[in-house]
Amino acid sequence: MSGSSPFKMRLVHLDLKGAPPKVSYLSEIFPLFHALGANGLLIEYEDMFPYEGHLRLLRAKHAYSPFEIKEILHLATLNNLEVIPLVQTFGHMEFVLKHEALTHLREVALFPNTLNPHEAESLALVGAMIDQIMELHPSARWLHIGCDEVYYLGEGEASRQWLQQEQNTKAKLCLSHVKAVASHVQARHPATTPLVWDDMLRDIPEDQLSASGVPQLVEPVLWDYGADLDIHGKALLMEKYRKCGFSQLWAASAFKGATGVNQALTPIEHHLRNHVQWLQVAGSGPADMLQGIVLTGWQRYDHFSVLCELLPVGIPSLAVCLQSLLHGGFAEDVKARVENFLGISSLEITDFMRYPTPQPCLSPHAWARLSSASLCREGAGSFPGSDILALITQVSLHLRSSVDALLERDSLLARWSALVGELEAALQRVFYSDTVEEWLEENVYPSLQQLQGLLQDLSEAAGPPPSLASPGLDTSQDP
């Protein structure tokens, strides 16, 4: 199944801090992940994990139950997908530190994103989170402990006092906390190796990294989601990490969720370029330098951000990226395989971004046909959630323009109301009600409200208003 891929492990990232899918949808989509070439999952549970005891307050309204977690793991096993759980333990702690009972553990009182590394209670907190997650993932070979984007590190009062002491630095403070968390994993779960995002490690001098003891405890995940990443720079960074003593390294790309905080449609061209360049990075060093690659699919930029592309919308991009990794590039035969897997007759151009020359490993014809909205002539395909992709594409590409145009006064609102009702029903099948409401509130209702207001104004001037109702809108009162 590995084809010519230099990546032994190919993990699909499920970011559950936004739009977490129902287990029933995961049962539909996991077989496709496997067929496309994935052999693992990185599951970022955040507040969807069923924390118990004093951590129960971390649960989201629709958090998975312990039974559902076991069902997810069973479904993953059935589809030969190895599960690596992810729990944030330093940065991106909003889902924890937003709670009043835990605000005293913030690095900076005003901001809930960074944990105070000086408090013994902080380590006890993340240790308890890790232990509860490992209790439901007893056979996990790896546990991702996050540690990326530790904003405001060193800016709290305790940190400022600590940094005034000779030889103390922010880098030392960061490494100390990472080591403490990783040591907890090693002591309590010796068969499990911690992974960490690498951004906080990149600029730390080689000698300081080597002396910290961290390289003997964790495996860094080098992430870069850009369409023009520095291939040579990545090769140098990997060499630095290997010299520091890290035994294994991982890469992390993105198949969605990395091109705009409120992106609704996935720009496949961007993500394909990203993966083609990661293939070049992997080919620039020893064959065993990278243990695997995580194809991230961010659902929010952080806990308080709006939703990015929903998972069903990103599936065509995931398919293109996985198949390109599996076969060492993207050419006509790979494109045909993707179309076959997804039930798409032909990927078409909708918002073509012209580049001077096609990237290596790409057939010019295959490149030119890629669509940033992943549309096709006959519809959006037959894969699980393809109806959501087709409907969201219509909303994203045509709702605002049709409202602006206002060409058909009597039928426009009725037509969009019907389509939105269809989309809402499709979303309800895959997502929980709060996700559905949030997406519609962000992407649909403002335009419908604007349209309704315009139609009411026109109706007052020209005649009676149309008799119809919009999803989520109150039309019961006379204008």
Side-chain angles (χ1 to χ4, degrees), residues 181-201:
V181 175
S183 296
H184 175 89
V185 177
Q186 183 184 62
R188 297 291 297 271
H189 314 283
T192 302
T193 301
L195 305 181
V196 295
W197 300 118
D198 86 305
D199 54 289
M200 299 301 294
L201 308 177

mmCIF file of all heavy atoms in Angstrom, residues 181-201:
data_model
loop_
_atom_site.group_PDB
_atom_site.id
_atom_site.type_symbol
_atom_site.label_atom_id
_atom_site.label_comp_id
_atom_site.label_asym_id
_atom_site.label_seq_id
_atom_site.Cartn_x
_atom_site.Cartn_y
_atom_site.Cartn_z
ATOM 1 N N VAL A 181 6.588 17.361 31.335
ATOM 2 C CA VAL A 181 5.415 16.665 30.810
ATOM 3 C C VAL A 181 5.821 15.332 30.181
ATOM 4 O O VAL A 181 5.188 14.294 30.420
ATOM 5 C CB VAL A 181 4.683 17.541 29.771
ATOM 6 C CG1 VAL A 181 3.532 16.767 29.140
ATOM 7 C CG2 VAL A 181 4.165 18.826 30.422
ATOM 8 N N ALA A 182 6.889 15.342 29.384
ATOM 9 C CA ALA A 182 7.349 14.109 28.738
ATOM 10 C C ALA A 182 7.820 13.088 29.773
ATOM 11 O O ALA A 182 7.607 11.876 29.600
ATOM 12 C CB ALA A 182 8.469 14.429 27.756
ATOM 13 N N SER A 183 8.428 13.555 30.832
ATOM 14 C CA SER A 183 8.877 12.653 31.894
ATOM 15 C C SER A 183 7.689 11.993 32.583
ATOM 16 O O SER A 183 7.768 10.824 32.992
ATOM 17 C CB SER A 183 9.733 13.414 32.913
ATOM 18 O OG SER A 183 10.915 13.907 32.316
ATOM 19 N N HIS A 184 6.594 12.737 32.725
ATOM 20 C CA HIS A 184 5.378 12.151 33.288
ATOM 21 C C HIS A 184 4.879 11.018 32.395
ATOM 22 O O HIS A 184 4.498 9.949 32.894
ATOM 23 C CB HIS A 184 4.294 13.219 33.431
ATOM 24 C CG HIS A 184 2.976 12.683 33.886
ATOM 25 N ND1 HIS A 184 2.624 12.567 35.221
ATOM 26 C CD2 HIS A 184 1.915 12.180 33.181
ATOM 27 C CE1 HIS A 184 1.416 12.037 35.313
ATOM 28 N NE2 HIS A 184 0.961 11.792 34.087
ATOM 29 N N VAL A 185 4.872 11.252 31.090
ATOM 30 C CA VAL A 185 4.443 10.207 30.160
ATOM 31 C C VAL A 185 5.363 8.999 30.276
ATOM 32 O O VAL A 185 4.898 7.849 30.346
ATOM 33 C CB VAL A 185 4.435 10.729 28.703
ATOM 34 C CG1 VAL A 185 4.069 9.609 27.737
ATOM 35 C CG2 VAL A 185 3.460 11.902 28.557
ATOM 36 N N GLN A 186 6.668 9.237 30.308
ATOM 37 C CA GLN A 186 7.629 8.129 30.385
ATOM 38 C C GLN A 186 7.450 7.325 31.673
ATOM 39 O O GLN A 186 7.528 6.087 31.661
ATOM 40 C CB GLN A 186 9.049 8.687 30.315
ATOM 41 C CG GLN A 186 10.141 7.616 30.313
ATOM 42 C CD GLN A 186 11.523 8.222 30.341
ATOM 43 O OE1 GLN A 186 11.887 8.915 31.296
ATOM 44 N NE2 GLN A 186 12.299 7.964 29.288
ATOM 45 N N ALA A 187 7.195 8.025 32.776
ATOM 46 C CA ALA A 187 7.072 7.342 34.061
ATOM 47 C C ALA A 187 5.768 6.565 34.189
ATOM 48 O O ALA A 187 5.745 5.427 34.686
ATOM 49 C CB ALA A 187 7.187 8.363 35.202
ATOM 50 N N ARG A 188 4.662 7.170 33.730
ATOM 51 C CA ARG A 188 3.351 6.541 33.909
ATOM 52 C C ARG A 188 2.952 5.636 32.747
ATOM 53 O O ARG A 188 2.152 4.719 32.913
ATOM 54 C CB ARG A 188 2.285 7.639 34.091
ATOM 55 C CG ARG A 188 2.478 8.496 35.348
ATOM 56 C CD ARG A 188 2.213 7.678 36.625
ATOM 57 N NE ARG A 188 0.841 7.219 36.674
ATOM 58 C CZ ARG A 188 -0.172 7.901 37.219
ATOM 59 N NH1 ARG A 188 0.066 9.088 37.757
ATOM 60 N NH2 ARG A 188 -1.387 7.408 37.228
ATOM 61 N N HIS A 189 3.500 5.914 31.574
ATOM 62 C CA HIS A 189 3.110 5.167 30.362
ATOM 63 C C HIS A 189 4.372 4.866 29.553
ATOM 64 O O HIS A 189 4.568 5.413 28.454
ATOM 65 C CB HIS A 189 2.106 5.984 29.554
ATOM 66 C CG HIS A 189 1.017 6.588 30.393
ATOM 67 N ND1 HIS A 189 -0.055 5.859 30.869
ATOM 68 C CD2 HIS A 189 0.865 7.852 30.892
ATOM 69 C CE1 HIS A 189 -0.840 6.643 31.604
ATOM 70 N NE2 HIS A 189 -0.302 7.852 31.630
ATOM 71 N N PRO A 190 5.233 4.005 30.061
ATOM 72 C CA PRO A 190 6.568 3.799 29.481
ATOM 73 C C PRO A 190 6.564 3.244 28.062
ATOM 74 O O PRO A 190 7.573 3.381 27.351
ATOM 75 C CB PRO A 190 7.234 2.816 30.447
ATOM 76 C CG PRO A 190 6.101 2.160 31.185
ATOM 77 C CD PRO A 190 5.028 3.190 31.276
ATOM 78 N N ALA A 191 5.463 2.650 27.622
ATOM 79 C CA ALA A 191 5.408 2.102 26.263
ATOM 80 C C ALA A 191 4.983 3.148 25.233
ATOM 81 O O ALA A 191 4.892 2.844 24.041
ATOM 82 C CB ALA A 191 4.458 0.909 26.211
ATOM 83 N N THR A 192 4.736 4.373 25.697
ATOM 84 C CA THR A 192 4.223 5.442 24.825
ATOM 85 C C THR A 192 5.252 6.558 24.698
ATOM 86 O O THR A 192 5.784 7.034 25.700
ATOM 87 C CB THR A 192 2.905 6.003 25.391
ATOM 88 O OG1 THR A 192 1.951 4.947 25.523
ATOM 89 C CG2 THR A 192 2.337 7.067 24.472
ATOM 90 N N THR A 193 5.519 6.981 23.467
ATOM 91 C CA THR A 193 6.484 8.044 23.201
ATOM 92 C C THR A 193 5.763 9.355 22.919
ATOM 93 O O THR A 193 4.871 9.394 22.072
ATOM 94 C CB THR A 193 7.359 7.694 21.986
ATOM 95 O OG1 THR A 193 8.055 6.469 22.246
ATOM 96 C CG2 THR A 193 8.360 8.795 21.699
ATOM 97 N N PRO A 194 6.137 10.434 23.595
ATOM 98 C CA PRO A 194 5.496 11.725 23.337
ATOM 99 C C PRO A 194 5.974 12.350 22.019
ATOM 100 O O PRO A 194 7.158 12.287 21.677
ATOM 101 C CB PRO A 194 5.924 12.597 24.521
ATOM 102 C CG PRO A 194 6.475 11.656 25.544
ATOM 103 C CD PRO A 194 7.029 10.506 24.771
ATOM 104 N N LEU A 195 5.049 12.955 21.302
ATOM 105 C CA LEU A 195 5.356 13.798 20.161
ATOM 106 C C LEU A 195 5.109 15.249 20.565
ATOM 107 O O LEU A 195 4.253 15.528 21.398
ATOM 108 C CB LEU A 195 4.459 13.459 18.964
ATOM 109 C CG LEU A 195 4.426 12.015 18.458
ATOM 110 C CD1 LEU A 195 3.487 11.913 17.248
ATOM 111 C CD2 LEU A 195 5.806 11.534 18.096
ATOM 112 N N VAL A 196 5.843 16.194 19.950
ATOM 113 C CA VAL A 196 5.608 17.626 20.183
ATOM 114 C C VAL A 196 5.699 18.367 18.853
ATOM 115 O O VAL A 196 6.477 17.992 17.971
ATOM 116 C CB VAL A 196 6.627 18.245 21.172
ATOM 117 C CG1 VAL A 196 6.489 17.651 22.563
ATOM 118 C CG2 VAL A 196 8.065 18.087 20.667
ATOM 119 N N TRP A 197 4.875 19.411 18.692
ATOM 120 C CA TRP A 197 5.064 20.327 17.566
ATOM 121 C C TRP A 197 6.410 21.005 17.748
ATOM 122 O O TRP A 197 6.836 21.286 18.878
ATOM 123 C CB TRP A 197 3.946 21.362 17.511
ATOM 124 C CG TRP A 197 2.559 20.820 17.360
ATOM 125 C CD1 TRP A 197 1.519 20.961 18.244
ATOM 126 C CD2 TRP A 197 2.037 20.072 16.249
ATOM 127 N NE1 TRP A 197 0.386 20.350 17.750
ATOM 128 C CE2 TRP A 197 0.675 19.784 16.536
ATOM 129 C CE3 TRP A 197 2.586 19.608 15.049
ATOM 130 C CZ2 TRP A 197 -0.145 19.076 15.660
ATOM 131 C CZ3 TRP A 197 1.776 18.890 14.180
ATOM 132 C CH2 TRP A 197 0.422 18.633 14.482
ATOM 133 N N ASP A 198 7.074 21.332 16.657
ATOM 134 C CA ASP A 198 8.478 21.743 16.775
ATOM 135 C C ASP A 198 8.716 23.250 16.802
ATOM 136 O O ASP A 198 9.870 23.678 16.959
ATOM 137 C CB ASP A 198 9.286 21.141 15.620
ATOM 138 C CG ASP A 198 9.241 22.002 14.362
ATOM 139 O OD1 ASP A 198 8.118 22.315 13.886
ATOM 140 O OD2 ASP A 198 10.313 22.382 13.868
ATOM 141 N N ASP A 199 7.679 24.080 16.658
ATOM 142 C CA ASP A 199 7.932 25.506 16.448
ATOM 143 C C ASP A 199 8.639 26.177 17.618
ATOM 144 O O ASP A 199 9.403 27.121 17.419
ATOM 145 C CB ASP A 199 6.631 26.248 16.106
ATOM 146 C CG ASP A 199 5.540 26.028 17.128
ATOM 147 O OD1 ASP A 199 5.003 24.903 17.194
ATOM 148 O OD2 ASP A 199 5.209 26.953 17.873
ATOM 149 N N MET A 200 8.411 25.696 18.835
ATOM 150 C CA MET A 200 9.071 26.306 19.988
ATOM 151 C C MET A 200 10.524 25.851 20.122
ATOM 152 O O MET A 200 11.286 26.414 20.911
ATOM 153 C CB MET A 200 8.298 25.981 21.271
ATOM 154 C CG MET A 200 6.870 26.498 21.304
ATOM 155 S SD MET A 200 6.724 28.302 21.124
ATOM 156 C CE MET A 200 7.510 28.869 22.635
ATOM 157 N N LEU A 201 10.915 24.835 19.345
ATOM 158 C CA LEU A 201 12.277 24.297 19.429
ATOM 159 C C LEU A 201 13.198 24.833 18.338
ATOM 160 O O LEU A 201 14.418 24.766 18.473
ATOM 161 C CB LEU A 201 12.247 22.761 19.323
ATOM 162 C CG LEU A 201 11.315 22.004 20.263
ATOM 163 C CD1 LEU A 201 11.374 20.511 19.955
ATOM 164 C CD2 LEU A 201 11.686 22.268 21.721
#
